[in-house]
Amino acid sequence: MYRNALFLSFAISASVLAAPPLPRHADLDLHTARQLADASLAQCTAALTVLDRGGNPLLSLRADGVGPHNSIASQRKAYTALSTKTPTRLFAERARNNPEAANLNSLPELLLLGGGIPLFADAELVGALGIAGAGGAEQDEACAVKAANQLGLTITP
């Protein structure tokens, strides 16, 4: 009987000390970031940045002949898409049509220019891809969307 009580008290104390059930999230990894880069550069000549769900850079590349400013632009586009969960071209359009959003251009981390897309696996945000220097905002976005689609990622939940 003493053994059973002792065992029961250990079992109860172990369950009390167990970690709380925290949500688990999918996240991009370096392997997937490389696949996105390869798929992007197969579509266009540009600079690109892939961010994980926390906004941390996984990969940043600039193709030969692409201006160095595009590296920074691709990172800011990816960050904007990640933080707003919206493709940057759509976000820029919405901001232009809303006078209250005019101040968004003053945030140095954001770039209200097409070419950044959020990346969703099923309905879960897993990261973002930013493309710059492919010939304009529309071309940057098209390149990013094609690359994401090749890997089975979407730009909306």
Side-chain angles (χ1 to χ4, degrees):
M1 176 119 154
Y2 174 72
R3 278 188 185 167
N4 289 342
L6 185 62
F7 177 74
L8 184 59
S9 67
F10 282 134
I12 290 171
S13 64
S15 68
V16 169
L17 297 176
L22 299 173
R24 303 282 182 213
H25 299 286
D27 204 351
L28 289 180
D29 59 3
L30 182 58
H31 177 73
T32 307
R34 286 180 174 167
Q35 289 179 319
L36 278 166
D38 289 341
S40 298
L41 294 176
Q43 302 293 325
C44 62
T45 301
L48 65 96
T49 300
V50 180
L51 303 178
D52 68 13
R53 68 179 286 111
N56 303 299
L58 286 169
L59 183 73
S60 186
L61 295 172
R62 183 179 55 84
D64 294 337
V66 175
H69 64 285
N70 289 300
S71 295
I72 296 166
S74 71
Q75 184 170 0
R76 288 177 57 200
K77 288 178 181 186
Y79 182 82
T80 303
L82 179 76
S83 65
T84 64
K85 299 180 180 123
T86 307
T88 55
R89 199 158 70 106
L90 177 59
F91 188 70
E93 181 181 310
R94 289 178 181 166
R96 276 191 303 276
N97 294 329
N98 181 356
E100 292 180 12
N103 291 340
L104 289 172
N105 277 327
S106 66
L107 296 173
E109 298 84 9
L110 300 182
L111 185 56
L112 304 183
L113 186 63
I117 59 168
L119 298 169
F120 291 89
D122 299 320
E124 189 172 0
L125 180 67
V126 296
L129 171 61
I131 303 279
E138 191 173 334
Q139 292 87 342
D140 293 348
E141 182 178 295
C143 181
V145 168
K146 287 178 188 175
N149 288 340
Q150 281 183 356
L151 272 72
L153 298 169
T154 61
I155 63 170
T156 56

